Amino acid sequence: MPEDSDTSLLADSGKRLRESDPIRYVDPSIRLTVVHRAPSTDNDGCVSLESLLGDVNLELMVQINYMIDVEFVMNRIPEEIRDGLKVIVYHGLRLTPDQLLRMETDVGMKYPRVTLHRVQVSGIGTHHTKAMLLFYRDNTMQFVVHTANMIERDWRNKTQAIFTTGRLVKKPQLIGLATCAFERDLLEYMSKYSHHQEISARISQYDFTGVKGVLVGSVPGRFSGVEKNKWGHMRLRSVLRQQVEISKACIVNSKIICQISSVGSLGKNSQDWLRGEFEMSLNAHRQSNYMASSKADLCVVFPTAENVRTSYEGWSMGGSLPFKETSYTKQAHYLNPLLHSWQAAKSGRDHAMPHIKTFTRVSCMEEADVISWFLLTSANLSKPAWGVLKDGAISIQSYELGVLVFPSLFEELRSEPVSAASSLASSIDEHDVHVCMLNATVSNPRPRLSQGSTSSHSSGLQDTLERVSGVVPIRLPYDLPLKPYNFATDHVWLSDKFFPGQDDYGDTLGRS
């Protein structure tokens, strides 16, 4: 994958960066996108849309998104291949039949090799997934899951992120069936689209076995039986319960952080959904059935009105944070204790408001901020996105897609020796090697577990410090520790409410 900067920061999965390092740093394949108004140092290790689409060997591009400006996207393609590039678009734009016809006609006249598919969704559901499939003339491809609409303002001064598989090669010709869970899950997700056969056939030619991530998707429908655990928050619950093991040291004082750009109608009471079925899914892990104390503190990160006013985009950013006053008022009695403001100086995104959506379980310790799992997704905090359980089935209204990562996905490191410079090299058994996922920041992109802590709650973690040989750094988009709302001065950003003051451009909000 082309990178904007600091390609030496992280190597391909499992490869050490410096021979002298006793700890191997492993690329999680998750990166923030470039913010144009941010200092260059805050964009180290970040990616731009141009870097994703700029390869002149690009042969076929599939864009799956809610909103798309075809002209904007095509202008990111190298000019020498722009007219000949085959492009397939699945979008969820809410247009009248006349508007849709006009769009398809205009695009067809200028870019005859671009095919548009409007994804029909009933009710209040949305085709909200944000992903792209890129196929190249050298017989490689990459799959990208991200958080941005394919419109200019989403790629300029907002906090966004991507997950990429990197360039994948084709399977040996004798292998025709799906060879790993990631491929099977992607093909099953694509099967929910009309006209998917050509794309699915091409996907099935490539080797996904090296991809470190688990797809967590939502598609409209009512699912019961074994299908219930394939989609929405029940998919997340199932994966966490089956695959994610959390040490006792990381369970104590851990937080589950829901960082989102929109909040839906979650119910009159907290137990209706948020603190009921959804929180149960977020708290799942392999030991959760027999560890009564394994429930984490639930936190929600959402910008204040002041965050929006002082952002790089000023008040205009507020339209990308659709939280209505009527919805908030009904839920304020249980949402307010969970709310935390947008503070992101350590990640270099303090003034870049979040369009990114992340869900994570993290333990803030003296040694480090230890991440048990991290989900990058298109899904906000809403029932249409995640689904609602009723009568033994889950009902979902929207298309969403995310990628979940957790330490055990990277345990192939166990088959490799630690660096020759490590004093641990001759003293540990390969089965004792431990991989940690840690929070990285602009100033500390290579976090370490510091030894010698006297923290009582992390004594169990101290027992494993000498076994750590791999660190997966995740640059969380917000700062830790979180900053709770001070409701004497902080006001939740509401997209239909007036707030006073001028932004960076001298603009004010108009009164309705």
Side-chain angles (χ1 to χ4, degrees):
M1 179 187 72
E3 297 178 13
D4 287 338
S5 56
D6 203 8
T7 55
S8 65
L9 178 64
L10 295 169
D12 288 339
S13 178
K15 294 180 181 178
R16 58 180 168 268
L17 296 172
R18 298 175 183 169
E19 291 297 322
S20 60
D21 267 353
I23 299 295
R24 225 178 249 124
Y25 287 83
V26 186
D27 186 355
S29 300
I30 293 173
R31 287 177 172 82
L32 298 179
T33 61
V34 168
V35 171
H36 289 220
R37 286 191 64 185
S40 59
T41 52
D42 289 350
N43 285 322
D44 283 352
C46 300
V47 297
S48 66
L49 184 57
E50 287 81 1
S51 69
L52 289 170
L53 304 183
D55 192 327
V56 294
N57 288 310
L58 187 61
E59 181 180 48
L60 168 65
M61 175 173 70
V62 182
Q63 290 291 344
I64 307 171
N65 217 297
Y66 170 38
M67 300 176 67
I68 184 164
D69 178 345
V70 174
E71 184 73 14
F72 165 73
V73 175
M74 296 306 291
N75 283 336
R76 311 278 84 73
I77 303 295
E79 187 175 0
E80 58 264 45
I81 66 168
R82 193 177 299 161
D83 291 340
L85 179 65
K86 183 175 181 179
V87 180
I88 300 173
V89 175
Y90 293 91
H91 68 88
L93 287 168
R94 295 188 176 102
L95 301 174
T96 66
D98 286 345
Q99 290 172 328
L100 186 62
L101 178 60
R102 188 178 307 115
M103 174 185 175
E104 292 174 346
T105 300
D106 291 346
V107 169
M109 290 180 63
K110 187 163 187 178
Y111 302 106
R113 290 180 58 81
V114 174
T115 302
L116 300 176
H117 297 293
R118 163 79 193 286
V119 182
Q120 299 287 342
V121 183
S122 61
I124 60 173
T126 304
H127 180 256
H128 202 242
T129 292
K130 294 159 178 64
M132 59 182 87
L133 293 145
L134 306 171
F135 298 89
Y136 303 93
R137 290 187 178 86
D138 62 359
N139 290 324
T140 64
M141 72 157 288
Q142 69 172 321
F143 174 53
V144 180
V145 177
H146 60 99
T147 62
N149 289 294
M150 297 305 289
I151 57 177
E152 183 171 11
R153 66 175 181 268
D154 270 24
W155 290 89
R156 291 192 62 81
N157 289 307
K158 293 177 172 59
T159 298
Q160 310 272 20
I162 71 156
F163 166 90
T164 177
T165 61
R167 297 285 272 264
L168 306 177
V169 298
K170 286 190 173 182
K171 303 172 190 172
Q173 289 186 354
L174 295 177
I175 301 177
L177 299 175
T179 53
C180 67
F182 192 96
E183 180 187 352
R184 287 192 295 272
D185 294 337
L186 176 56
L187 289 171
E188 185 161 16
Y189 177 81
M190 291 303 302
S191 72
K192 303 302 179 181
Y193 290 88
S194 60
H195 313 289
H196 72 89
Q197 289 82 0
E198 176 191 355
I199 300 167
S200 295
R202 292 198 67 154
I203 291 170
S204 64
Q205 297 176 29
Y206 291 85
D207 183 2
F208 288 80
T209 54
V211 176
K212 305 304 177 187
V214 176
L215 287 177
V216 176
S218 294
V219 293
R222 184 178 185 273
F223 306 97
S224 59
V226 294
E227 296 292 312
K228 181 176 71 174
N229 292 330
K230 290 185 176 181
W231 308 108
H233 74 77
M234 289 303 295
R235 164 67 170 171
L236 179 61
R237 182 186 300 188
S238 176
V239 174
L240 294 177
R241 183 170 287 168
Q242 293 176 19
Q243 299 188 47
V244 177
E245 188 168 345
I246 304 175
S247 70
K248 291 181 180 179
C250 288
I251 286 174
V252 177
N253 293 334
S254 64
K255 299 181 184 298
I256 289 174
I257 302 171
C258 308
Q259 176 275 304
I260 34 76
S261 64
S262 177
V263 182
S265 296
L266 309 180
K268 184 178 179 181
N269 300 306
S270 64
Q271 291 296 322
D272 289 349
W273 187 79
L274 179 63
R275 304 306 299 265
E277 63 187 76
F278 189 63
E279 187 176 24
M280 186 178 296
S281 292
L282 294 173
N283 272 284
H285 56 91
R286 287 183 64 181
Q287 311 97 301
S288 57
N289 287 339
Y290 55 89
M291 293 188 68
S293 61
S294 66
K295 189 174 180 180
D297 293 333
L298 185 64
C299 305
V300 175
V301 174
F302 187 78
T304 65
E306 186 65 6
N307 287 151
V308 174
R309 186 186 72 82
T310 58
S311 71
Y312 286 138
E313 297 176 272
W315 289 123
S316 66
M317 170 59 200
S320 298
L321 299 166
F323 191 12
K324 302 292 187 181
E325 185 172 16
T326 53
S327 180
Y328 168 67
T329 301
K330 294 175 182 177
Q331 301 165 167
H333 61 288
Y334 65 83
L335 268 182
N336 283 356
L338 310 178
L339 286 172
H340 296 73
S341 61
W342 179 255
Q343 303 290 317
K346 295 177 185 178
S347 67
R349 295 296 181 267
D350 212 27
H351 298 289
M353 290 299 95
H355 193 263
I356 188 175
K357 295 91 172 154
T358 62
F359 297 77
T360 190
R361 183 164 186 155
V362 62
S363 302
C364 297
M365 303 180 179
E366 290 184 40
E367 298 88 353
D369 300 324
V370 182
I371 299 169
S372 297
W373 54 264
F374 177 85
L375 174 67
L376 178 72
T377 179
S378 63
N380 275 302
L381 202 56
S382 80
K383 293 192 286 188
W386 287 103
V388 177
L389 288 172
K390 185 177 181 181
D391 299 330
I394 187 167
S395 295
I396 301 171
Q397 295 177 278
S398 293
Y399 289 87
E400 307 281 359
L401 195 61
V403 176
L404 177 72
V405 294
F406 44 90
S408 63
L409 289 171
F410 303 88
E411 287 184 346
E412 84 284 353
L413 286 174
R414 292 182 177 183
S415 63
E416 302 177 5
V418 294
S419 170
S422 172
S423 62
L424 305 178
S426 60
S427 64
I428 60 176
D429 183 271
E430 67 173 350
H431 297 294
D432 291 329
V433 174
H434 187 65
V435 177
C436 279
M437 188 171 284
L438 304 180
N439 180 31
T441 63
V442 170
S443 63
N444 185 22
R446 297 163 62 88
R448 292 177 177 269
L449 284 167
S450 59
Q451 300 191 31
S453 169
T454 58
S455 173
S456 60
H457 76 263
S458 60
S459 58
L461 186 63
Q462 282 291 321
D463 293 339
T464 68
L465 284 178
E466 292 188 354
R467 297 190 284 112
V468 172
S469 72
V471 170
V472 182
I474 299 282
R475 186 166 158 185
L476 294 178
Y478 45 79
D479 289 350
L480 294 175
L482 299 177
K483 182 183 177 184
Y485 270 47
N486 175 2
F487 284 95
T489 56
D490 292 335
H491 302 279
V492 182
W493 167 255
L494 301 170
S495 53
D496 57 350
K497 183 179 173 63
F498 173 80
F499 295 99
Q502 290 186 344
D503 63 17
D504 198 31
Y505 301 94
D507 294 331
T508 59
L509 284 176
R511 291 183 181 272
S512 57

